[in-house]
Amino acid sequence: MVAQENVNPPSPEECRALADVAATVAIEAGRLIVEERPRDLGVASTKSSVVDVVTVMDQRSQDLLSRRLAELRPEDGFFGEEKGGRIGTSQITWVVDPIDGTVNYLYDIPAFAVSVAAVVGDVTVPGAWRPVAGAVVNPSTGECFRAQLGGGASVQVGDGPTRELRVAAPDRCEVALVGTGFGYVSTRRAHQAAVLTHVLPSVRDIRRIGSAALDLCHVADGALDGYYEKGLNAWDMAAGWLVVTEAGGVIGDGAGGAPTSDLVIAAGEPLHGQLAELVVSAVRRVGPEPG
Ligand code: LIP
């Protein structure tokens, strides 16, 4: 993988073709995880904590995405949440979350997604990569959110009409509906809860949907006015990042940089700057996360 600064983004036509591929394989994986969900679905393994779960379908979804992207884009790299990545020879790396909102999926709560993004740059280096095409599929609703660099963002339900996405435009935090989420490690959750105590009184309300990819698409669609979260991985945010910016929104780390695991803040302007100030000042008041 090469750093972003050394890579010219693909042409608009290439970005559209990449978005078509992203939507195609994300829809296929979404069909798989719904139609072949075992009746006795359980936890296959855990990662950072006992509640950071992986199901057999997370790996099956990623294996399908890996196989199909190797068929459709054999020179590209592949980087997923679960096991099985590969280095490519082209400038494109596919960054996938095979099931974003895994806990919702485990509990059969219809708020999970397959997220597929084509990125340029080195996805292992925070701030050194950016998405150029992507798709987020919610198989429970049939929604396929997609975006391509410079080509806009849209949503389509099944074979229905395609609707262009545009962020909402509230002008201040106190009337903003804001999404957020929490990590899997208890010390981080305690820190996130402390930050939330300073944010909640200053916004309309909070929504904790349980899927960062869907949260970001909801911002792009105006179903949320803003979103923030600490601790996201590249696969959680890669596609939703582009859906937000191509819908006229802004996404960053709260300090003028690209979104990273330190902090993701997404909204339309002028709310984005105010929300970033609110969240960053709350983090400053709470102090650093222990450990
Ligand atoms: C989830 C994120 C969500 C966050 C959860 C979890 P996963 O990703 O999409 O925003 O709050 O803690 O990280 O683990 O379901 O792929």
Side-chain angles (χ1 to χ4, degrees):
M1 289 183 245
V2 291
Q4 180 189 4
E5 56 272 11
N6 302 327
V7 177
N8 294 319
S11 69
E13 295 73 25
E14 289 173 290
C15 291
R16 171 176 290 278
L18 291 167
D20 288 344
V21 169
T24 297
V25 301
I27 289 168
E28 292 174 8
R31 191 175 298 124
L32 171 81
I33 66 176
V34 168
E35 293 179 358
E36 299 193 28
R37 186 188 194 279
R39 295 176 63 83
D40 60 347
L41 180 71
V43 175
S45 61
T46 59
K47 293 187 279 193
S48 62
S49 77
V50 69
V51 295
D52 186 357
V53 299
V54 183
T55 73
V56 64
M57 297 308 290
D58 290 88
Q59 193 62 58
R60 284 193 62 196
S61 175
Q62 178 158 316
D63 292 346
L64 180 152
L65 292 166
S66 176
R67 175 174 57 78
R68 291 287 286 133
L69 288 167
E71 290 168 1
L72 297 171
R73 297 280 306 185
E75 299 82 15
D76 297 351
F78 182 83
F79 184 81
E81 178 171 12
E82 311 309 341
K83 299 184 187 71
R86 61 177 172 270
I87 303 290
T89 55
S90 76
Q91 68 170 3
I92 298 296
T93 300
W94 292 93
V95 179
V96 308
D97 193 335
I99 302 178
D100 186 56
T102 298
V103 173
N104 285 346
Y105 180 72
L106 180 66
Y107 281 75
D108 211 4
I109 296 170
F112 49 87
V114 177
S115 179
V116 179
V119 313
V120 294
D122 186 346
V123 70
T124 65
V125 177
W129 59 277
R130 65 142 307 138
V132 295
V136 176
V137 168
N138 178 342
S140 305
T141 63
E143 292 168 306
C144 177
F145 300 89
R146 59 173 283 169
Q148 60 236 33
L149 186 63
S154 61
V155 62
Q156 183 180 18
V157 178
D159 295 329
T162 296
R163 176 166 55 85
E164 292 307 307
L165 297 173
R166 201 74 196 156
V167 293
D171 58 0
R172 59 197 192 284
C173 287
E174 65 183 325
V175 294
L177 186 63
V178 175
T180 193
F182 310 114
Y184 291 118
V185 176
S186 59
T187 49
R188 166 154 295 176
R189 294 165 70 80
H191 187 265
Q192 290 169 320
V195 169
L196 184 62
T197 60
H198 296 286
V199 173
L200 181 56
S202 301
V203 298
R204 178 191 297 274
D205 204 348
I206 288 287
R207 292 292 182 269
R208 197 285 195 252
I209 292 167
S211 163
L214 290 182
D215 284 322
L216 290 166
C217 291
H218 291 327
V219 170
D221 198 16
L224 287 175
D225 296 310
Y227 166 72
Y228 78 92
E229 185 160 354
K230 174 184 175 64
L232 293 186
N233 293 292
W235 48 75
D236 295 312
M237 71 171 103
W241 167 350
L242 193 66
V243 175
V244 165
T245 55
E246 288 297 324
V250 177
I251 189 170
D253 63 355
T260 68
S261 61
D262 286 341
L263 192 57
V264 175
I265 299 181
E269 285 296 11
L271 179 66
H272 180 270
Q274 299 174 35
L275 183 59
E277 188 178 333
L278 173 63
V279 173
V280 170
S281 64
V283 172
R284 200 176 297 125
R285 289 171 68 178
V286 169
E289 182 181 333

